[in-house]
Amino acid sequence: GTRPWSALDRALSNPNARQVYFMTDGWPNYWRNGSTSRTVSHYVNQNNSRTDLTKIHTINAGPNQSWLQDFSSRGGGTYKRV
């Protein structure tokens, strides 16, 4: 498990960020707002409130995680499983 949320918060709060590459095993120690769907919605909404959207790319370094595909799709980025 990982704790990726503070780094993702920092990346999306940077007004100069145009692309974020989010690499994870897909198994965080906890979910932002309690579930995968609410976590994805939280970050998509945060991104949509920006003047210039940031493309969110996800890199899955573990078993297939559909929430990462959803996150990159809704974040205007790409998904890659390695």
Side-chain angles (χ1 to χ4, degrees), residues 44-51 53:
V44 169
N45 291 338
Q46 183 178 347
N47 192 30
N48 287 341
S49 71
R50 296 169 52 97
T51 302
L53 295 181

Side-chain angles (χ1 to χ4, degrees), residues 1-74:
T2 55
R3 296 175 179 236
W5 312 127
S6 62
L8 199 51
D9 288 335
R10 226 177 2 250
L12 288 174
S13 68
N14 180 339
N16 297 316
R18 297 293 172 256
Q19 299 194 48
V20 169
Y21 291 85
F22 180 57
M23 183 173 186
T24 178
D25 62 2
W27 295 100
N29 289 345
Y30 65 96
W31 296 104
R32 163 91 58 205
N33 300 329
S35 74
T36 57
S37 63
R38 287 190 297 247
T39 297
V40 170
S41 290
H42 170 83
Y43 286 108
V44 169
N45 291 338
Q46 183 178 347
N47 192 30
N48 287 341
S49 71
R50 296 169 52 97
T51 302
D52 295 314
L53 295 181
T54 298
K55 288 188 178 188
I56 302 170
H57 306 280
T58 59
I59 304 163
N60 184 357
N64 189 39
Q65 298 290 328
S66 62
W67 73 272
L68 290 171
Q69 294 171 343
D70 183 41
F71 193 15
S72 61
S73 174
R74 291 177 59 195

